[in-house]
Amino acid sequence: MTILEVLHTAPSCGTCPIRHRAVCARCETDELAALDAIKFYRSFEAGQTLIWAGDRMDFVASVVSGVATLTQVMEDGRTQTVGLLFPSDFVGRPGRERAPYNVIATTDLLMCCFRKKPFEELMGRTPHIGQRLLEMTLDELDAAREWMLLLGRKTAREKIASLLAIVGRRDAALHLRKPQGQMVFDLPLTREAMADYLGLTLETVSRQISALKRDGVIELEGKRHVTVPDYNRLLEEAGDDADGGFFG
Amino acid sequence: MTILEVLHTAPSCGTCPIRHRAVCARCETDELAALDAIKFYRSFEAGQTLIWAGDRMDFVASVVSGVATLTQVMEDGRTQTVGLLFPSDFVGRPGRERAPYNVIATTDLLMCCFRKKPFEELMGRTPHIGQRLLEMTLDELDAAREWMLLLGRKTAREKIASLLAIVGRRDAALHLRKPQGQMVFDLPLTREAMADYLGLTLETVSRQISALKRDGVIELEGKRHVTVPDYNRLLEEAGDDADGGFFG
DNA sequence: GGGAATCCTTGACGTAGATCAAATCCACGC
DNA sequence: GCGTGGATTTGATCTACGTCAAGGATTCCC
């Protein structure tokens, strides 16, 4: 996907030249100019670790295109991914010195970064940036708690279905709607990265994907390209008592 | 524990008559008066459900004394606790209509509640309340992500040790320090509530507690009263590469 | 085209923790 | 003191998922 596509499809704020829903949905023109003055872009390749846990972070950033993970590693190597970052998602905590997690690009990735010090000053002058950050953080907290239910109580099959549903939903938001609850997308994660996010092994991930394919819940073309013929069926498999409200 | 003890030991803001770290650490006297005007207390018994997921919530609140859980339940009854609330913790999201989780008192509980509408208005006039809320939410997000590592990758024994370490740390903050890394506290949770928080069954919880006792990591008096002779040993069992920095 | 590096799939088998089923403990009311 | 009911412990067995191992598929580079 090109940057232009993101600019075209991401939720935008009208006047903002970079259109970060993250920070500028309610920005005035002069605030946008201030943001522009402290921003810079960085791009990364799939597989690259952008930030190591414990690193000093002198910027905050939002994802322009691509997907990244937030990952924790125990001393003995056990790995758990604690967050997925899609375009428009925000990384970094104002007021924090050091990164708490590894941030890893799982696809080619473009980030829009803001130097932390001036960003914090701008926050001080511009209350709605802080408000927006609070909203986003609360949303992330909800997502983390939903994932806790998945990690603690769902079966391997339900976990895979849940992940596919979420990736599809986030990805499809960037594309035109397909007819009749159908959904088509590319998995932005390797089997191993999926396993680390779901608290499984990559073998179990592979087996369950094969099973969902055998049962007609999904279709696969290659290893990454997924077609979901019936999104509601997928949600049932995910064990969500949730809405299913994506395709109304 | 009495309310007076909480008032005495909880982080306080000096001038605040109710001493909620949650909302008033930086409040001016007139702001405290405004908070006082919209607050009311509610008390609950152990086991009571304060709020059902989906209920309309017309207040936000902070815990004065006791412990509560935030719990998600799937259609088929599988249950996952996604948060533990100790004294000074905050519940409720400004700008949200309905509760996303069941809130259950696991001990007798006293809450200090603020009517939501006026609380939001006060937030609008008083930026540091929003800032404080952002900080607290970010802390909760960190805690949720640490718990994701636990749920996804830790063994049953490590899960139990982690829970004991956290409960001990929170509880001990309210009491005088014991000599030489020793720690004494009462578990505020039944075995079943522990299981729901750890993604285990109550039988496994019971077995692992017995094992930790047999191995001398903890001592038990009755079912609830725990003595940890060596906190660092407990942290090792928890598999945390963390500091261990509670008893410096 | 070949080989080699990744990534993925599939099979055989082992095990941590779940499930099912009794006890046992303990607080509380009478 | 005595029964009653919930909470907990413990044992026996089962199973979903992990572990180990052996191929495929795809891409990239020479």
Side-chain angles (χ1 to χ4, degrees):
Chain A
M1 163 179 337
T2 69
I3 297 170
L4 275 176
E5 281 170 343
V6 174
L7 295 187
H8 184 65
T9 56
S12 76
C13 57
T15 56
C16 170
I18 50 169
R19 306 197 180 193
H20 293 284
R21 191 195 62 170
V23 293
C24 63
R26 291 166 223 151
C27 283
E28 306 294 326
T29 319
D30 57 338
E31 292 156 9
L32 293 176
L35 277 172
D36 272 357
I38 61 172
K39 80 166 194 254
F40 57 98
Y41 290 92
R42 296 182 63 184
S43 66
F44 303 89
E45 288 178 15
Q48 226 181 323
T49 297
L50 330 190
I51 300 162
W52 293 95
D55 278 2
R56 173 175 235 90
M57 274 197 71
D58 50 2
F59 59 92
V60 298
S62 86
V63 177
V64 176
S65 67
V67 174
T69 59
L70 303 180
T71 297
Q72 273 182 299
V73 183
M74 292 173 72
E75 281 172 339
D76 60 8
R78 281 176 284 175
T79 299
Q80 178 67 45
T81 294
V82 298
L84 263 195
L85 299 171
F86 287 91
S88 88
D89 284 341
F90 192 82
V91 212
R93 168 172 174 169
R96 196 208 293 274
E97 275 280 290
R98 296 186 178 279
Y101 314 110
N102 298 333
V103 184
I104 304 170
T106 66
T107 66
D108 291 345
L109 184 71
L110 182 63
M111 307 281 290
C112 178
C113 310
F114 303 89
R115 286 182 296 120
K116 202 172 71 174
K117 203 69 175 299
F119 185 83
E120 284 167 2
E121 286 162 14
L122 187 61
M123 261 185 78
R125 293 200 303 278
T126 319
H128 72 242
I129 292 184
Q131 285 165 25
R132 180 76 193 109
L133 222 45
L134 177 57
E135 284 168 25
M136 293 178 63
T137 306
L138 286 162
D139 287 342
E140 278 186 88
L141 185 57
D142 284 343
R145 286 173 164 166
E146 188 181 326
W147 217 249
M148 287 171 66
L149 174 64
L150 175 145
L151 291 170
R153 294 302 186 197
K154 287 190 178 178
T155 64
R157 172 184 263 246
E158 289 169 334
K159 287 179 175 183
I160 297 287
S162 300
L163 179 61
L164 292 172
I166 283 181
V167 170
R169 183 155 55 222
R170 289 298 302 253
D171 193 283
L174 300 175
H175 291 92
L176 289 176
R177 176 188 288 211
K178 291 289 183 301
Q180 270 302 57
Q182 200 190 352
M183 195 178 238
V184 179
F185 58 92
D186 284 310
L187 275 172
L189 301 174
T190 64
R191 300 291 186 262
E192 189 181 16
M194 294 174 70
D196 285 340
Y197 196 27
L198 298 171
L200 299 170
T201 59
L202 66 91
E203 293 94 332
T204 299
V205 168
S206 181
R207 274 186 255 271
Q208 295 300 333
I209 288 180
S210 298
L212 288 175
K213 185 175 152 191
R214 181 171 3 90
D215 299 345
V217 181
I218 59 171
E219 290 151 27
L220 274 184
E221 196 176 328
K223 295 153 198 287
R224 297 294 193 93
H225 191 75
V226 179
T227 301
V228 177
D230 179 354
Y231 186 67
N232 288 321
R233 172 82 194 283
L234 184 65
L235 283 182
E236 275 171 38
E237 292 285 353
D240 290 340
D241 42 339
D243 46 326
F246 181 65
F247 292 113
Chain B
M1 163 178 338
T2 68
I3 296 170
L4 274 177
E5 281 170 345
V6 173
L7 294 187
H8 185 64
T9 57
S12 77
C13 57
T15 56
C16 170
I18 49 167
R19 307 196 179 192
H20 293 283
R21 192 195 60 170
V23 294
C24 63
R26 291 167 224 151
C27 282
E28 307 293 328
T29 319
D30 56 338
E31 292 156 10
L32 294 177
L35 277 172
D36 270 359
I38 61 172
K39 79 166 194 255
F40 57 98
Y41 289 94
R42 297 182 63 184
S43 65
F44 303 90
E45 288 179 15
Q48 226 182 322
T49 297
L50 330 189
I51 300 161
W52 293 94
D55 278 3
R56 172 175 236 91
M57 273 196 71
D58 51 2
F59 59 91
V60 297
S62 85
V63 177
V64 176
S65 66
V67 174
T69 60
L70 303 180
T71 298
Q72 272 182 300
V73 183
M74 292 173 71
E75 282 172 339
D76 60 8
R78 279 177 286 175
T79 298
Q80 178 67 45
T81 293
V82 298
L84 264 195
L85 300 171
F86 286 90
S88 88
D89 285 341
F90 192 81
V91 212
R93 169 171 174 168
R96 196 209 291 276
E97 275 280 289
R98 294 184 179 280
Y101 315 110
N102 298 334
V103 183
I104 305 171
T106 66
T107 66
D108 291 345
L109 184 72
L110 180 64
M111 307 281 292
C112 178
C113 309
F114 302 88
R115 286 182 295 120
K116 201 172 70 175
K117 202 68 174 298
F119 184 83
E120 283 167 3
E121 286 162 14
L122 187 61
M123 261 185 77
R125 292 199 302 277
T126 317
H128 72 243
I129 292 184
Q131 285 165 25
R132 180 76 193 112
L133 222 45
L134 177 57
E135 284 168 26
M136 294 179 62
T137 306
L138 286 162
D139 287 342
E140 278 187 89
L141 185 57
D142 284 343
R145 285 174 166 165
E146 187 181 326
W147 217 249
M148 287 171 66
L149 173 64
L150 176 144
L151 291 171
R153 295 301 185 198
K154 287 190 179 178
T155 65
R157 171 184 263 246
E158 289 170 334
K159 287 179 175 183
I160 298 287
S162 301
L163 180 60
L164 292 173
I166 283 182
V167 171
R169 183 155 55 223
R170 289 299 303 252
D171 193 283
L174 300 176
H175 291 91
L176 288 177
R177 176 187 289 211
K178 291 289 184 300
Q180 272 299 58
Q182 198 189 353
M183 195 178 239
V184 179
F185 58 92
D186 285 310
L187 274 173
L189 301 173
T190 63
R191 300 291 185 261
E192 188 181 17
M194 294 174 69
D196 285 341
Y197 196 28
L198 298 171
L200 299 170
T201 59
L202 66 92
E203 292 94 333
T204 298
V205 169
S206 180
R207 273 186 255 270
Q208 295 299 334
I209 288 180
S210 299
L212 288 175
K213 184 176 152 191
R214 180 170 4 88
D215 299 345
V217 181
I218 58 172
E219 290 152 26
L220 273 183
E221 196 177 329
K223 295 152 198 288
R224 296 294 192 93
H225 191 75
V226 180
T227 300
V228 178
D230 179 354
Y231 186 67
N232 289 321
R233 170 83 194 283
L234 184 64
L235 283 182
E236 275 170 39
E237 292 285 353
D240 290 340
D241 43 337
D243 46 325
F246 180 66
F247 291 113

